[in-house]
Amino acid sequence: MNVKLSNVLLAGAVLVTAAAFTPDGGKKGPIGPPAKFIDPANMDLSIKPGDDFFDYANGTWIKDNAIPAKETRWGSFNILHQENVDKLQGLLSEVSKMSGQPKGSLKQRVGDLYASGMDSLAIEKKGYDPIKPDLARISKISDLNGVIDEMIYERVSGDASPLFGAGVGADSKHPMRNIVSLRQGGTSLPDRDYYLKDNDRNKKIREAYKKYIVTLFTLTGTNAGEADKDAATILSIETALAKAQLSRVEMRDPNKTYNKFSVADLNKTTPHLNWSQLLPMMKMNGVDTVIVGQPGFFKVADDMLASTPVADWKVYLQWNMLKGSASELSSPFVKANFEFSSALSGQKVQTPRKERMSGLVDGSLGELLGQLYVEKYFTPAAKEYMVNLVNNLKSVLGDRIKRLDWMSAETKEHALKKLNAFTVKIGYPDKWQNYDGLVINRNDYYGNLKSISRWRYNYNISQLGKPVDKKRWGMTPPTVNAYYNPVNNEIVFPAGILQFPFFDFKADDAVNYGGIGAVIGHEMTHGFDDQGRQYDADGSLHDWWTKDDADKFKLRADQVVNQYDAFTVVDTLHVNGKLTLGENLADLGGINIAYEAFKKTKEGQSNKKIDGFTPDQRFFLSWAQVWRGSQRPEAAAQRILTDPHSPEKYRCNAPISNVDAWYAAFNIQPGDKNYKKPEDRIRVW
């Protein structure tokens, strides 16, 4: 049962790709500003900055700070995330103990959801009772129509989304209109390559997955032999679906995944999936046109519905119920879920329950809990500072666009129009989501999760026929992250990231510009990366480039791809330069924009040292300490397949190797490992 905010908020959105700054994480660290914003004690001064700036800036800290057992990675983002988790736990612990709160009020729903999740005795007592009726219903299916009806039922009731994804969101060629979109799905492993590539790592993951399937089925009373057959059935179905899916790199092309069909024409391509009947069953009424992300996938899925025995589909549907609920049932199910997750990520021990529950409340009722967080921890002064900083950086990016020597005046005019049209959101929404009609019961944890999923589904489809609500957010206020949304042409900075090491009122300009300044520049550059550049000022998927300018951009983008393709992460695994291109372009743009803006400040124009470092050196060291961290090999291998962000070391080292000022600041010379000749340094935005 998926109640993650980001998954639901953007569910069904037609190519609303929220280009985020970084993944999340979490573990306890020091709260509040450090004694030194750039601390030499964290650095490894035995390493030449031109050989490995990441290790030079962070080496001693990384050696002294092992990844906690409950984490898959550990660094600056994770420490700040943990500090926010601790703050949320304090709020939730307090509000969950309040009695007599009015039913339906903010504090009643937030407090009771947390309390229901912390009542482990009640959850243990129920075992897997919450899904027994679902498993029994599926067992009674007798024909293909029953299979399809069940797939729709699970979706509408908020239980699962078997076979394919569906939802309502902005039409990216008409960004003020909402439309139904249909997307490939049906698989459980994080990426199709886990099914399709037979290296040793993927084989071990598939074996762990098979064990997980067998364990969950046996926990519900299936004998071991039958459970083993069920696992083979599920792997067979999901492998066939994986073969039909587009790769993550292919899906980076927003035009490739924009395929508009009339419902009548779509019916002709999927004779067993009659969308004229299915869409009303999904409460999507009056729909005559849909966007299909991957038409080839739906043809294969439709063929499989007819060619695969009904008995196999019943097993598949039962598995969808099991895997979606396992982490929320009694401890044997939770243990099995964690063991499989550990095989994927390398995490050593389960995250403590109170942390899992605070994350669940944030992901489920984020704009209720967010109000409590903002009231206590976010100041108007921080928002004002950010507004001014964004305006400064926006001006700098505009100047940089005007100076581009590879872009024509015609395309520059469109680029500047888009930049000037950016919507900026800082801290928290202007209008909070109230989750009207959502009832939370203190004594029914699983029932609460089901109610939340059902509410989110109904809210999403209720947007049909309404203009796109551009005031909505894709992240909750405590989130340590930021994003750009191309369909809204907006950059968004939640309150959670506006803290050290990104930003601190007491820090010098070098630290703040190398931190939050680079984050702002990063998100702005997303508007002009390989995906974002295909959307115009009003968020429409529309080509505003001359062919010559587009060719020149691609030449520079290909240089970025080649630079990152060369980096090895684990064993023989390399960074996927095409998958990570958007984030790598944004990192390169972000550091350049932030540095130029920094040089306009009084401190940026001085040479006064602090703690032994010049302002320019502190700027780049601030950039490096933002990326301070390490990750487990298993997690690194998984992220190579699934994460559009490069590993931390390369997010630090690769962009600055293209920045002339870094060479001057640290006297980088030919022969240093990260040295690039001036003519080889990549310059895009």
Side-chain angles (χ1 to χ4, degrees):
M1 186 180 302
N2 190 344
V3 293
K4 298 285 187 182
L5 174 67
S6 58
N7 290 345
V8 180
L9 194 58
L10 298 178
V14 184
L15 297 170
V16 179
T17 52
F21 193 65
T22 185
D24 62 4
K27 169 60 184 157
K28 187 159 186 169
I31 295 177
K36 294 182 178 180
F37 291 103
I38 302 294
D39 192 344
N42 292 324
M43 302 169 64
D44 186 345
L45 300 177
S46 70
I47 296 174
K48 292 177 65 177
D51 283 347
D52 189 330
F53 194 69
F54 177 82
D55 283 348
Y56 164 77
N58 302 309
T60 299
W61 187 95
I62 291 173
K63 290 174 187 175
D64 293 344
N65 289 268
I67 302 172
K70 73 182 183 69
E71 305 295 341
T72 63
R73 64 198 305 178
W74 187 234
S76 296
F77 280 90
N78 312 80
I79 291 172
L80 180 51
H81 171 82
Q82 183 65 48
E83 291 177 10
N84 283 344
V85 168
D86 292 344
K87 292 172 182 176
L88 292 180
Q89 284 178 10
L91 293 169
L92 287 166
S93 177
E94 180 181 349
V95 76
S96 65
K97 295 173 184 175
M98 294 179 177
S99 59
Q101 295 296 317
K103 194 72 174 175
S105 66
L106 183 159
K107 291 183 177 179
Q108 179 268 314
R109 289 187 288 176
V110 166
D112 285 358
L113 177 59
Y114 181 74
S116 72
M118 291 301 295
D119 190 355
S120 56
L121 291 178
I123 294 169
E124 287 300 309
K125 186 175 181 180
K126 290 183 178 180
Y128 76 101
D129 286 352
I131 63 169
K132 281 182 179 178
D134 301 298
L135 299 177
R137 183 185 66 251
I138 294 168
S139 69
K140 296 176 183 178
I141 294 172
S142 60
D143 56 22
L144 180 57
N145 286 334
V147 169
I148 296 172
D149 287 349
E150 175 64 23
M151 288 181 176
I152 302 304
Y153 176 83
E154 290 183 13
R155 193 176 309 273
V156 172
S157 62
D159 292 322
S161 299
L163 194 60
F164 61 89
V168 174
D171 181 337
S172 57
K173 291 193 176 181
H174 305 280
M176 284 306 299
R177 301 180 193 169
N178 280 308
I179 193 170
V180 171
S181 67
L182 304 173
R183 307 174 302 280
Q184 67 185 30
T187 51
S188 304
L189 295 177
D191 189 82
R192 68 172 199 164
D193 281 2
Y194 284 110
Y195 299 93
L196 306 182
K197 292 189 176 180
D198 276 334
N199 55 53
D200 289 342
R201 182 177 288 105
N202 289 354
K203 287 178 181 177
K204 289 179 181 178
I205 295 298
R206 289 199 297 269
E207 282 302 311
Y209 181 43
K210 181 179 178 181
K211 178 184 176 183
Y212 179 43
I213 297 171
V214 169
T215 300
L216 291 195
F217 272 104
T218 54
L219 284 172
T220 60
T222 304
N223 68 62
E226 195 64 31
D228 198 63
K229 291 179 183 178
D230 290 344
T233 295
I234 290 159
L235 276 165
S236 175
I237 290 174
E238 292 190 355
T239 300
L241 292 172
K243 290 178 180 177
Q245 292 177 353
L246 294 183
S247 70
R248 290 177 186 265
V249 171
E250 289 174 309
M251 288 192 293
R252 285 190 57 76
D253 182 349
N255 284 293
K256 190 167 189 173
T257 54
Y258 185 93
N259 305 282
K260 186 171 281 189
F261 284 80
S262 71
V263 172
D265 286 343
L266 183 59
N267 285 339
K268 295 173 185 176
T269 71
T270 58
H272 304 97
L273 291 168
N274 185 328
W275 300 101
S276 299
Q277 296 176 357
L278 297 181
L279 290 170
M281 291 170 62
M282 293 162 64
K283 302 184 181 180
M284 298 174 179
N285 298 307
V287 175
D288 58 9
T289 306
V290 297
I291 302 294
V292 182
Q294 304 82 18
F297 171 85
F298 281 88
K299 291 180 181 179
V300 171
D302 185 81
D303 290 342
M304 287 177 60
L305 282 169
S307 62
T308 304
V310 168
D312 289 356
W313 283 119
K314 290 166 66 174
V315 170
Y316 172 79
L317 289 167
Q318 288 180 322
W319 172 241
N320 273 266
M321 290 300 309
L322 280 168
K323 72 176 182 181
S325 58
S327 63
E328 315 303 345
L329 299 174
S330 58
S331 55
F333 291 87
V334 174
K335 180 174 181 287
N337 177 267
F338 173 72
E339 286 178 353
F340 174 58
S341 174
S342 178
L344 279 169
S345 68
Q347 185 175 341
K348 302 303 181 186
V349 300
Q350 180 95 350
T351 305
R353 186 170 195 88
K354 63 181 182 179
E355 293 188 20
R356 303 200 316 266
M357 291 306 106
S358 66
L360 182 136
V361 177
D362 184 37
S364 304
L365 303 177
E367 293 197 25
L368 296 184
L369 179 58
Q371 293 177 56
L372 301 178
Y373 174 86
V374 166
E375 182 180 11
K376 187 166 185 178
Y377 295 111
F378 189 65
T379 66
K383 187 165 187 173
E384 181 181 357
Y385 182 96
M386 278 292 291
V387 169
N388 292 331
L389 197 57
V390 168
N391 289 335
N392 292 344
L393 288 156
K394 191 174 176 182
S395 175
V396 167
L397 178 53
D399 290 341
R400 293 181 66 84
I401 291 172
K402 292 173 186 175
R403 297 198 308 264
L404 289 175
D405 59 5
W406 57 268
M407 180 178 279
S408 69
E410 179 183 349
T411 306
K412 284 181 182 179
E413 183 180 350
H414 286 285
L416 292 168
K417 180 181 178 182
K418 178 171 185 176
L419 175 64
N420 290 330
F422 274 1
T423 296
V424 182
K425 297 178 178 178
I426 297 171
Y428 54 91
D430 292 330
K431 181 181 179 181
W432 295 98
Q433 172 66 266
N434 192 44
Y435 310 94
D436 292 327
L438 175 59
V439 176
I440 299 297
N441 186 332
R442 190 178 185 88
N443 301 312
D444 188 4
Y445 174 59
Y446 190 86
N448 288 335
L449 300 188
K450 193 162 183 173
S451 295
I452 292 165
S453 291
R454 189 183 302 116
W455 184 91
R456 290 193 181 282
Y457 180 85
N458 288 331
Y459 179 81
N460 178 248
I461 61 172
S462 75
Q463 301 306 297
L464 263 178
K466 299 177 183 177
V468 172
D469 183 358
K470 296 201 173 188
K471 294 187 180 297
R472 295 175 65 198
W473 279 50
M475 291 177 179
T476 65
T479 305
V480 184
N481 213 324
Y483 69 92
Y484 170 76
N485 183 336
V487 179
N488 285 0
N489 194 28
E490 65 183 6
I491 50 176
V492 186
F493 306 96
I497 200 172
L498 304 181
Q499 303 173 74
F500 185 79
F502 300 97
F503 162 73
D504 193 287
F505 281 115
K506 298 177 182 178
D508 47 299
D509 287 336
V511 169
N512 283 337
Y513 276 84
I516 198 65
V519 174
I520 296 168
H522 173 107
E523 299 307 338
M524 287 181 175
T525 306
H526 268 310
F528 305 97
D529 69 15
D530 62 309
Q531 288 181 307
R533 76 175 190 86
Q534 299 184 63
Y535 296 80
D536 64 16
D538 71 356
S540 298
L541 182 58
H542 167 72
D543 188 2
W544 46 270
W545 292 64
T546 68
K547 183 181 184 306
D548 185 55
D549 288 338
D551 290 343
K552 289 176 180 177
F553 173 87
K554 187 177 185 306
L555 180 67
R556 286 159 175 77
D558 286 345
Q559 291 175 332
V560 175
V561 170
N562 293 336
Q563 180 180 12
Y564 284 81
D565 274 344
F567 298 138
T568 303
V569 182
V570 181
D571 302 329
T572 59
L573 288 179
H574 283 242
V575 175
N576 185 335
K578 290 183 178 179
L579 176 62
T580 58
L581 177 58
E583 298 300 331
N584 298 336
L585 286 167
D587 283 343
L588 178 58
I591 191 70
N592 274 296
I593 296 164
Y595 179 77
E596 185 169 329
F598 167 61
K599 296 305 287 184
K600 293 179 181 293
T601 68
K602 182 178 179 180
E603 184 197 333
Q605 295 170 17
S606 78
N607 288 311
K608 182 181 178 182
K609 291 185 178 181
I610 301 176
D611 295 327
F613 299 107
T614 68
D616 274 23
Q617 288 174 333
R618 290 176 67 79
F619 172 87
F620 289 108
L621 287 168
S622 176
W623 164 262
Q625 75 178 3
V626 161
W627 301 118
R628 177 185 296 158
S630 56
Q631 54 185 314
R632 301 191 189 282
E634 299 92 339
Q638 179 180 338
R639 289 187 174 103
I640 286 297
L641 293 180
T642 62
D643 194 345
H645 304 83
S646 297
E648 292 91 339
K649 179 189 284 282
Y650 304 119
R651 295 193 75 174
C652 171
N653 287 347
I656 58 176
S657 72
N658 297 298
V659 180
D660 295 341
W662 173 69
Y663 287 82
F666 291 93
N667 193 29
I668 311 302
Q669 296 294 322
D672 292 345
K673 293 178 182 178
N674 276 358
Y675 178 86
K676 295 176 72 172
K677 296 177 182 178
E679 62 268 25
D680 293 335
R681 296 170 196 168
I682 306 168
R683 308 177 196 280
V684 187
W685 293 105

